[in-house]
Amino acid sequence: MTIMRTLFLLALSLFSVFGGGALYAEAMAEEVFVGDTILTPEDLEMEADHRLVMAPKDSVRIDTAQFKSLPTLSAKDVRKLKLQNFVPNPKRALWLSLVLPGAGQIYNRKYWKLPIFYGGFLGCTYAFLWNQQMYRDYSQAYLDLMDSDANTKSYLDFLPPNFDITGREQQYQTLFKNRRDRYRRYRDLSGFAFVGVYLLSVIDAYVDAQLSQFDITPDLSLRIEPAVIGNDLPAVPLRQRAAYGVGCALTF
C-alpha cells in the first residue's frame, strides 16, 4: 500500500512539472505583448470588432499606386478644356448686350459678328449726322429766302456762282422746303436704323446663347423612294384606290 501511494505521488509530481509547463508555454504563445500590456486572443478580437464599428460606413480602400500612371493636366490644358466646354448663359448674354452693344457676342465667343454690328452702328451714326447737317443747312437757306433781309443769303451757297433767282423766289422756296423735309425724314430713318441694329444685336446674343445647347445630330438624311398613296381604304378595291407616287422621308 505504501509502495502504490509512493508511485502515485511520483507520477503526479512529474505531470505537474512537464504538463503544467507545456500548458504555460501554450498560454504564453497565445498572448501578445503590446508595450507593457499583455493582450490575449479575446482582447485582440474585441479590438478588431471595435475598429470595424468605428470605421466610416462609406470608406473605401483605394490603391493610390494606380493613379501614379495617369497623365496630369497643366493649367494651360485646363483652360483649353474650359473654353471647349463653354456653355453661355442666355440671360447673361441678354443683359450684357443691353448694357453694351456687342458685349453679348463677345461673351458668346462669336467675335466675327462684331465687325458686322459695329459697322452697322457706325454707318447709322454717320448717316444720322450727315442728314442732320443737311437738314440744318436747307432749313437756314429756306428761312433766309423767306425773309426780306438782304444780308441773309445763305441759300446762295447751294446755287452756282452769280446765279440770279429774281422772279423765281417762290419756285426755290418750294425746292428748299422739300429738301429740308427730305433730309429730316432721312435723319429720322437713320435714328430708327440705329435702334434696329441695337435690338438685332441683343436678339442675336440671346438666341445664339439659347441655341448653343441645341443638339444637331449628324444623322441628317433625305430618302426618296416610290410610294403607294391611298391604299388605306379597305372599302374601296385596290385598283380604284391605289395611286403611285414618290415619297420623301427626312431623318433628323
Side-chain angles (χ1 to χ4, degrees), residues 86 93-94 96-97 100-115 117-118 121 197-208:
F86 174 73
L94 176 65
L96 287 174
S97 295
L100 180 63
Q105 283 72 28
I106 297 176
Y107 172 73
N108 293 336
R109 308 291 195 270
K110 299 301 177 63
Y111 306 106
W112 61 272
K113 295 182 180 180
L114 292 177
F117 288 108
Y118 280 108
F121 288 132
V197 175
Y198 170 75
L199 295 177
L200 184 61
S201 67
V202 174
I203 295 174
D204 174 77
Y206 180 77
V207 174
D208 194 3

Side-chain angles (χ1 to χ4, degrees), residues 30 32 39-53:
E30 293 179 355
V32 178
L39 297 180
T40 62
E42 291 78 6
D43 296 334
L44 293 176
E45 185 177 359
M46 292 177 62
E47 182 69 19
D49 294 339
H50 176 70
R51 292 181 180 179
L52 182 61
V53 172

